[in-house]
């Protein structure tokens, strides 16, 4: 049996990349190619705030993925939610609005369900995305 690739590789912008778990999983399917990583080290929070669509190596990703910082929502922390300086979903959302990818994949801890999921879903739905 021969398999011919007749599909378009989806270009992925990987935010809050960590060690690249999203990229490893997505690229293993042979449907995704990560074109840019953005990782938060102690100084990277400010770097991310300054990333603009025009700065990206590929300003038109098909997919934006991100496990934005969980500390604001984690039961292991103070659960300050949106008042925590590490709450970076607004920065991820800013790039989503600028880049307009076809797909957005987000990941976070269970604490976000009570402390911030409504904000995330409402923001995405207000931009025309269907959410699950």
């Amino acid at each position: 049996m021969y398999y011919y690739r007749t599909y378009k590789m989806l270009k992925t912008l990987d935010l809050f990349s960590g060690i690249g778990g999203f990229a490893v999983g997505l690229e293993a399917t042979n449907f995704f190619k990560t074109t840019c990583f953005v990782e938060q080290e102690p100084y990277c929070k400010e770097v991310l705030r300054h990333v603009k669509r025009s700065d990206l190596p590929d300003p038109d990703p098909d997919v934006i993925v991100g496990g934005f910082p969980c500390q604001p929502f984690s039961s292991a922390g103070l659960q300050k939610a949106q008042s925590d300086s590490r709450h970076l979903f607004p920065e991820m959302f800013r790039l989503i609005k600028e880049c307009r990818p076809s797909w957005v994949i987000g990941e976070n801890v269970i604490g976000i369900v009570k402390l911030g999921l409504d904000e995330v879903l409402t923001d995405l739905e207000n931009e025309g995305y269907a959410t699950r």
Side-chain angles (χ1 to χ4, degrees), residues 15-75:
L15 303 177
F16 317 104
S17 303
I19 60 170
F22 268 123
V24 169
L26 291 173
E27 290 184 6
T29 69
N30 290 318
F31 288 98
F32 301 86
K33 175 65 181 154
T34 303
T35 59
C36 182
F37 291 96
V38 179
E39 167 53 31
Q40 179 183 341
E41 291 292 330
Y43 66 90
C44 288
K45 186 170 158 183
E46 292 306 313
V47 171
L48 179 60
R49 290 186 198 280
H50 294 96
V51 172
K52 294 182 177 54
R53 182 174 184 256
S54 59
D55 296 333
L56 300 175
D58 185 343
D60 295 310
D62 299 302
V63 183
I64 291 181
V65 300
F68 52 95
C70 66
Q71 293 91 335
F73 311 102
S74 175
S75 61

Side-chain angles (χ1 to χ4, degrees), residues 75-94:
S75 61
L78 300 176
Q79 296 186 308
K80 292 173 139 185
Q82 290 81 355
S83 64
D84 191 310
S85 64
R86 297 167 293 184
H87 176 53
L88 293 179
F89 176 73
E91 296 301 322
M92 180 175 177
F93 184 58
R94 180 179 56 78

